[in-house]
Amino acid sequence: MSSQPAAASSTVTAPPSGQRRYLMCPPTYFQVCYRINPWMHPDEPVDPARAGAQWRRVYDQLLALGHHIDLVPAEPGLPDMVFAANGGIVIDDRALIPRFRHEQRRPESTHYAAAIAESGVRDVRQAEHVNEGEGDFRLVGECILAGTGPRSDPGAPAEVAEYFGRTTVPLTLVDPRLYHLDTALAVLDAETVAYWPPAFDDASRRQLRDLYPDAIIASEPDATALTLNLISDGTTVIVNSDQTRLARSIAERGYAVISAPTDELLKGGGGAKCCVLEHHRTRPPA
Ligand code: ARG
C-alpha cells in the first residue's frame, strides 16, 4: 500500500488508495449498567477517563494511518453506543440499520441511521430481522461472512444478501463469550482471516476451513481474551496487545502491528473493532 497523507475533507470523490472510512462514537456516556453479555458486570466500576483515553488512542491511530473518521454524537442513556460496529452495515451507497436483540440498545438505531445518512449514504434501510450490524456481518473480499445465534437472527443473512446483492455465508456462533462475529473472527484483508474454530458450530468450521485454508488460527487464551477484536486496514493491524501469540502470527504474515489497550472498554464486552463501523467502498461514489 502506498502511504497517503491524511485526507481531512469529506468531499473526496475518489478515495486515495488504501484510505478507509470509519464511523466512531465517543464513549462519553459509556458505563456498565445492565448485563447483555458475559463480560458485563454492573457491580464493577468503570473508569470513564480511562475508557475515554483508550478510545482516543484507537481514534488517533486510525487518523495517523491516514483514514477518515466521521463521528456519531454520543447520547445520554445509551452507554453501548461507543460500540459503533453494531450501528449498521455500510457498503458503497447502501446502509442497513440494525435491529438490536436487546431493548437496552434498540434506541441506538435511529441515531446511527441519522449519522450514516448525514455521512452521505443514499440508501439507508432499517433491517427487518434482528441484525447487529458489522459486529456480525463482515465484508471479506466479495462476500459477507454472517455470524448468527447469540445476536443476529438466522433470517438476517438472506436479508443482507438480497439488499447488498452479495453472497452471504451464514456462520453459527456457539460460545456465549464470543457473541458477535467480530469477537470470534478477524478480517485482515480481502483474502485473509484469523479465527478461533471452537467459537463456531461444526458446519461453520467446515465452511471456514474450505473458504480460508490459510487462515490464522487463534489460540484459546487469545480468543477468550477478545484479541480477535482487532482493526485491520489490510496493511496495519491495531491489536489490544502486541505481546500475544495472535499478534506475533499476524506480524509474521507481514502486517505492521500496533497496540492499543482496550481493557476498560472490555468491561462492556468490546475491543477496538467494536468501536468502529467501516463504510466500505468497493467502487468510487456514484
Ligand atoms: N455491550 C455491548 C453489547 O453487548 C458490546 C457490543 C460489542 N460490539 C461488537 N461489535 N462486538 O451489545
Side-chain angles (χ1 to χ4, degrees):
M1 191 187 85
S2 61
S3 69
Q4 295 292 335
S9 163
S10 58
T11 56
V12 281
T13 47
S17 98
Q19 192 202 39
R20 307 262 182 143
R21 288 182 80 92
Y22 300 102
L23 204 67
M24 293 181 76
C25 177
T28 318
Y29 304 105
F30 173 63
Q31 53 175 315
V32 178
C33 52
Y34 50 78
R35 182 172 162 89
I36 58 171
N37 71 55
W39 301 88
M40 301 175 86
H41 299 287
D43 297 339
E44 286 173 18
V46 167
D47 180 340
R50 198 155 176 271
Q54 292 185 342
W55 179 90
R56 180 73 205 210
R57 190 172 154 87
V58 173
Y59 174 86
D60 286 343
Q61 283 174 329
L62 289 171
L63 284 186
L65 290 167
H67 301 308
H68 176 97
I69 302 175
D70 285 313
L71 285 178
V72 186
E75 290 292 327
L78 296 176
D80 274 336
M81 259 192 94
V82 63
F83 300 118
N86 301 119
I89 306 169
V90 191
I91 305 173
D92 296 318
D93 55 3
R94 300 204 141 185
L96 196 61
I97 300 304
R99 186 172 294 279
F100 285 95
R101 174 157 306 279
H102 299 99
E103 63 170 355
Q104 292 94 332
R105 296 201 66 183
R106 281 182 204 143
E108 294 181 31
S109 294
T110 48
H111 300 292
Y112 276 106
I116 290 168
E118 192 161 316
S119 76
V121 178
R122 220 180 39 208
D123 192 353
V124 179
R125 187 196 285 184
Q126 168 68 54
E128 292 289 330
H129 291 271
V130 170
N131 176 322
E132 296 211 350
E134 199 176 60
D136 273 332
F137 293 86
R138 302 300 322 273
L139 181 68
V140 193
E142 292 297 308
C143 83
I144 298 174
L145 300 184
T148 66
R151 297 296 179 87
S152 299
D153 266 355
E159 183 183 7
V160 169
E162 188 269 320
Y163 184 52
F164 290 103
R166 283 173 187 271
T167 304
T168 299
V169 181
L171 300 167
T172 306
L173 293 161
V174 294
D175 186 316
R177 293 167 296 181
L178 306 175
Y179 56 96
H180 279 134
L181 182 64
D182 69 2
T183 63
L185 179 143
V187 181
L188 296 166
D189 60 36
E191 290 96 37
T192 317
V193 301
Y195 66 100
W196 186 51
F200 299 90
D201 74 358
D202 288 344
S204 308
R205 285 190 214 188
R206 279 195 296 275
Q207 281 262 32
L208 286 169
R209 220 182 301 132
D210 290 349
L211 283 171
Y212 307 105
D214 297 327
I216 296 175
I217 302 299
S219 67
E220 176 162 5
D222 283 351
T224 55
L226 238 62
T227 47
L228 284 160
N229 196 255
L230 54 80
I231 304 172
S232 173
D233 66 8
T235 304
T236 302
V237 182
I238 302 178
V239 293
N240 63 351
S241 160
D242 53 14
Q243 298 305 309
T244 63
R245 221 160 99 182
L246 179 68
R248 282 192 292 275
S249 307
I250 291 170
E252 278 162 18
R253 295 280 182 109
Y255 300 90
V257 172
I258 51 183
S259 69
T262 44
D263 51 288
E264 204 60 38
L265 294 159
L266 188 59
K267 293 177 180 172
K273 172 65 198 81
C274 296
C275 294
V276 298
L277 169 58
E278 184 164 358
H279 180 174
H280 295 277
R281 286 171 303 173
T282 66
R283 49 186 158 79

